[in-house]
Amino acid sequence: MVELSLTKRPIWREPKFLICIALGFSSGLPLFILYNLLSAWLKAESVNLKEIGLFTLVGFPYTWKFIWSPLMDRFTLPLGRRRGWMLFTQLVVLLAVASLGYFTPQHDLPIIMVICSVIAFFSASQDIVIDAYRREILNEEQQASGTAIFVNAYKLSTLIPGSLSLILSDHLSWLWVFAITALFMLPGITTTLLIKEPPQYGDPPKSLRDAVVLPFQEFLQRKGLKEALLILLFIFLYKLGDSMATALATPFYMELGFTRTEIGLVAKNAGLWASLAGGILGAIWLEKTGTNRGLWIFGVFQMLAILGFAILAKAGLSSSWLLGAVIGFEAFAVGLGTAAFTGYIAKTTDPRFTATQFALFTSLAAVPRTFINASTGYIVDHTGWFNFFIICFFLGIPGMLMLPRIAPWRQSQ
């Protein structure tokens, strides 16, 4: 495997810090538009919960992005192998999100599904190249802390579709809501235009066949078949529980009786400060403890966040403070768990095949969010919200049980 620089220099002392924030925000925004704002829009327009749950299937591209990721390793657009693809995907996402407001769920549900699929495809494609870019600009010592910053900026982007856009929807037409939301892709676009291409480790694939075959071949040879399968199983399981628990979070809050403005204001205050705290503490913590221990500690936190939803389900429309506590702890805890998890994925890739290997691993991690989450509306319909969240809590246990083999505590990295 090609080794990167081992010079230990904290990420916040470098321009990479701001790059990770801007690209993390740009990467997360389309996903949260699809899973937060879209569900609130459909709920407000009287689409039933089962159909809203099925809308998670628009995330299909996130689970299969490894199929076309070799194209991004093999071919180069005018701005460069990474920046060219970034700019192209970001522009398409901006235009597609803005177009949603021209349609109504009562009459145009199939068209809305198509547009959302376009957003998901180009959002997933943006993730491929941004993940590759981040892996290539960070040295080995910066992967965990840099990823923590990136992931919490990713989580922070939920404040736009999950807060600002919800508040605006109580005062403006949905046409304006989606137009304004789409403009928040501009910071990522600006960053893409300003940054430089990352250093290249080894020669890029010389043919499309090499771009497809060599990344998988290298991974299997480096890890062995048994170890490779265990890693893939862990990637599938680690965030299964919290992914399901947050799939219908906004409709859950609305069903409890909170207004879209209340949800937006609480998410803005509780989610913002919790995400900022998670970003700072996560980066420092992972810098000191390493990725392995982060997976243990933060994994416990993200499971406890699921129980917060269960408590809220029991309490009902009792207090905005409780809603704020649940949203804040979820933003903090799940953000930390995702940071350690993504840092682990980064360290598992070979920098010569970053786009394809990273896409393979993150595609597998997205399977629960896309396919299993499609059933969440049906599960809630049969079990109720409280029992649903308890089920999600127990689904987080198998991934944690794999940690002694996957990420031994005594091996700090």
Side-chain angles (χ1 to χ4, degrees):
M1 176 177 174
V2 178
E3 293 292 336
L4 304 179
S5 168
L6 293 178
T7 302
K8 188 161 185 174
R9 186 180 178 188
I11 184 69
W12 45 83
R13 294 183 184 177
E14 301 190 16
K16 299 173 186 177
F17 176 84
L18 295 177
I19 294 173
C20 287
I21 291 175
L23 294 184
F25 187 91
S26 180
S27 184
L29 183 65
L31 178 71
F32 293 120
I33 289 171
L34 292 174
Y35 288 99
N36 287 2
L37 183 58
L38 179 65
S39 61
W41 181 36
L42 297 176
K43 179 72 174 176
E45 297 295 319
S46 302
V47 177
N48 68 62
L49 202 59
K50 292 179 181 179
E51 289 180 317
I52 295 174
L54 288 175
F55 249 82
T56 61
L57 289 175
V58 300
F60 185 82
Y62 290 100
T63 67
W64 292 98
K65 60 186 178 181
F66 66 91
I67 293 177
W68 64 92
S69 60
L71 297 173
M72 295 180 165
D73 268 337
R74 173 66 183 88
F75 298 108
T76 301
L77 296 183
L79 278 181
R81 191 161 69 123
R82 301 307 183 205
R83 294 171 64 233
W85 284 110
M86 263 194 270
L87 182 62
F88 175 63
T89 56
Q90 288 165 344
L91 289 173
V92 174
V93 168
L94 185 153
L95 294 173
V97 171
S99 72
L100 280 173
Y102 289 94
F103 303 96
T104 59
Q106 295 94 335
H107 305 103
D108 306 308
L109 210 55
I111 298 175
I112 291 171
M113 177 72 81
V114 170
I115 296 173
C116 289
S117 298
V118 170
I119 295 171
F121 178 83
F122 284 94
S123 170
S125 301
Q126 179 194 213
D127 289 352
I128 292 171
V129 68
I130 286 180
D131 286 339
Y133 183 89
R134 188 183 71 254
R135 175 66 173 98
E136 291 163 359
I137 65 168
L138 300 177
N139 64 43
E140 292 292 336
E141 294 295 336
Q142 295 171 333
Q143 287 298 329
S145 56
T147 300
I149 293 165
F150 174 88
V151 167
N152 280 280
Y154 186 104
K155 292 285 292 182
L156 194 62
S157 69
T158 191
L159 293 178
I160 303 306
S163 178
L164 176 63
S165 300
L166 291 180
I167 296 171
L168 291 176
S169 71
D170 273 338
H171 306 281
L172 300 174
S173 69
W174 285 104
L175 174 64
W176 279 104
V177 169
F178 282 110
I180 293 170
T181 303
L183 291 177
F184 281 90
M185 287 297 295
L186 290 177
I189 292 171
T190 303
T191 300
T192 300
L193 293 171
L194 294 176
I195 57 179
K196 297 179 180 179
E197 276 289 294
Q200 187 169 291
Y201 300 94
D203 297 325
K206 294 181 174 59
S207 67
L208 188 55
R209 180 186 180 279
D210 285 349
V212 173
V213 174
L214 293 181
F216 298 97
Q217 188 178 71
E218 186 280 333
F219 176 59
L220 289 173
Q221 289 177 346
R222 174 161 47 94
K223 294 295 184 180
L225 180 60
K226 183 178 179 181
E227 187 70 16
L229 291 176
L230 281 174
I231 290 172
L232 295 177
L233 180 61
F234 170 74
I235 289 172
F236 174 80
L237 291 174
Y238 184 70
K239 293 191 68 63
L240 174 61
D242 76 81
S243 176
M244 287 184 62
T246 56
L248 296 174
T250 302
F252 166 57
Y253 305 145
M254 293 171 67
E255 199 160 292
L256 289 179
F258 293 102
T259 68
R260 296 195 299 276
T261 296
E262 284 178 321
I263 297 167
L265 288 172
V266 170
K268 176 183 176 182
N269 291 285
L272 172 62
W273 296 110
S275 292
L276 290 176
I280 295 169
L281 292 177
I284 295 173
W285 207 336
L286 287 172
E287 190 87 18
K288 294 181 179 297
T289 66
T291 306
N292 285 13
R293 292 178 183 178
L295 287 169
W296 288 75
I297 298 167
F298 301 160
V300 171
F301 281 179
Q302 71 182 14
M303 289 184 66
L304 292 177
I306 298 173
L307 292 181
F309 288 113
I311 293 171
L312 185 59
K314 277 292 185 184
L317 186 63
S318 58
S319 168
S320 293
W321 289 100
L322 180 58
L323 177 66
V326 171
I327 290 177
F329 189 65
E330 188 273 335
F332 179 78
V334 177
L336 292 179
T338 304
F341 180 59
T342 311
Y344 169 80
I345 289 177
K347 286 177 172 290
T348 307
T349 64
D350 186 306
R352 293 171 295 174
F353 311 108
T354 315
T356 301
Q357 289 185 349
F358 219 118
L360 170 65
F361 300 144
T362 53
S363 292
L364 189 61
V367 169
R369 187 175 67 217
T370 302
F371 294 104
I372 298 178
N373 287 6
S375 65
T376 52
Y378 292 90
I379 296 173
V380 171
D381 195 49
H382 286 85
T383 66
W385 288 108
F386 177 80
N387 290 331
F388 168 71
F389 291 124
I390 296 300
I391 291 170
C392 293
F393 173 81
F394 282 105
L395 287 175
I397 294 176
M400 294 294 294
L401 293 178
M402 295 187 70
L403 286 175
R405 176 65 182 272
I406 294 296
W409 178 269
R410 295 184 181 275
Q411 296 178 13
S412 61
Q413 293 299 322

